[in-house]
Amino acid sequence: MNYYQIKRADQKIDWSSVASLEIGCRYLDTPQKIKAFAQICYNDEGIQVHLWSENDDVRAVEVGHLGAPYEDSCLEFFFAPMEGDVRYFNIEFNSNCCLYLGLGRCMEDHTRLIHEEEGANILSPKASLTDTGWEIFYTVPYKLIRRFFPDFEITKGKTIRANCFKCADLTTPANYLSWNPVDPTPFTFHKPECFGVMEFDA
């Protein structure tokens, strides 16, 4: 099981000082040249996420509140905020900042969340193309987490179960990567039992 330490950052984050993790487990003949990475930290606003991928073909078709970003070049962060509660958020973005935000226990017990007023802006995403692919920065605000997990607090040594993914259902070839290994039978990223451990350094 993979481990990552989430360190506290200033309000203006120096990303050069935040450790990165490789989303390096490959599935379904994903080419070796396609790579993805993540950096995660936290501050007074929320959990701060930076994801990026290295791939030549960045598909970006899906838009809007009901789009399907996982069909495009998509970067994802799934996490279960509370020990003893198997529910997890799944946050999926393409480079258009098309968002799929879900909450559930598994693929079959899972609800898409759409905020009536803020939409994707509730996470304040900023995405851009790069020389090698694309990247995205966003904030998971504590008020969002506590809407569903009222007792969520960050204390020294607190752990969450989490995983990071890269997928692209409709690119050629399709590609699928994860940080912590996922049991491929049947193949889905919605397996909280396959999440790794992330620990807050409060």
Side-chain angles (χ1 to χ4, degrees):
M1 182 179 296
N2 286 331
Y3 169 88
Y4 181 83
Q5 189 174 63
I6 304 176
K7 293 192 173 183
R8 184 173 182 86
D10 295 331
Q11 293 306 101
K12 186 175 181 180
I13 302 168
D14 176 10
W15 287 102
S16 68
S17 67
V18 179
S20 62
L21 60 85
E22 183 174 5
I23 306 171
C25 299
R26 298 174 184 277
Y27 308 92
L28 306 179
D29 299 320
T30 295
Q32 291 293 321
K33 67 179 181 179
I34 296 177
K35 299 179 180 180
F37 305 87
Q39 293 172 299
I40 301 169
C41 59
Y42 74 99
N43 58 18
D44 291 341
E45 296 178 7
I47 299 173
Q48 306 292 332
V49 181
H50 175 210
L51 301 167
W52 70 98
S53 68
E54 298 177 1
N55 55 289
D56 297 332
D57 179 20
V58 178
R59 186 180 193 272
V61 175
E62 294 294 308
V63 296
H65 296 325
L66 297 178
Y70 48 84
E71 294 183 349
D72 291 338
S73 301
C74 185
L75 291 165
E76 307 179 348
F77 175 48
F78 290 23
F79 70 102
M82 298 295 291
E83 185 177 353
D85 191 331
V86 298
R87 292 178 300 157
Y88 62 92
F89 290 105
N90 58 293
I91 302 171
E92 310 172 17
F93 274 112
N94 69 3
S95 60
N96 293 329
C97 291
C98 176
L99 168 66
Y100 189 110
L101 172 62
L103 177 68
R105 294 175 172 82
C106 60
M107 190 65 186
E108 294 74 26
D109 180 8
H110 173 266
T111 301
R112 185 171 191 165
L113 307 175
I114 299 176
H115 194 277
E116 292 182 356
E117 297 178 358
E118 294 170 295
N121 291 331
I122 195 172
L123 302 180
S124 303
K126 294 182 177 65
S128 61
L129 298 179
T130 66
D131 291 340
T132 56
W134 74 282
E135 67 179 348
I136 189 164
F137 298 84
Y138 59 86
T139 301
V140 185
Y142 300 129
K143 67 178 181 180
L144 170 63
I145 300 172
R146 291 176 184 140
R147 191 174 299 171
F148 301 95
F149 301 89
D151 296 330
F152 178 82
E153 297 289 346
I154 293 178
T155 57
K156 186 173 180 60
K158 175 181 172 55
T159 60
I160 59 174
R161 300 292 302 279
N163 215 339
C164 300
F165 305 105
K166 161 79 174 75
C167 71
D169 286 0
L170 298 185
T171 61
T172 304
N175 53 84
Y176 304 92
L177 302 169
S178 73
W179 169 56
N180 204 65
V182 173
D183 180 358
T185 309
F187 182 68
T188 175
F189 287 155
H190 289 265
K191 292 184 175 180
E193 67 273 18
C194 296
F195 288 2
V197 173
M198 295 188 178
E199 180 179 351
F200 289 94
D201 179 24

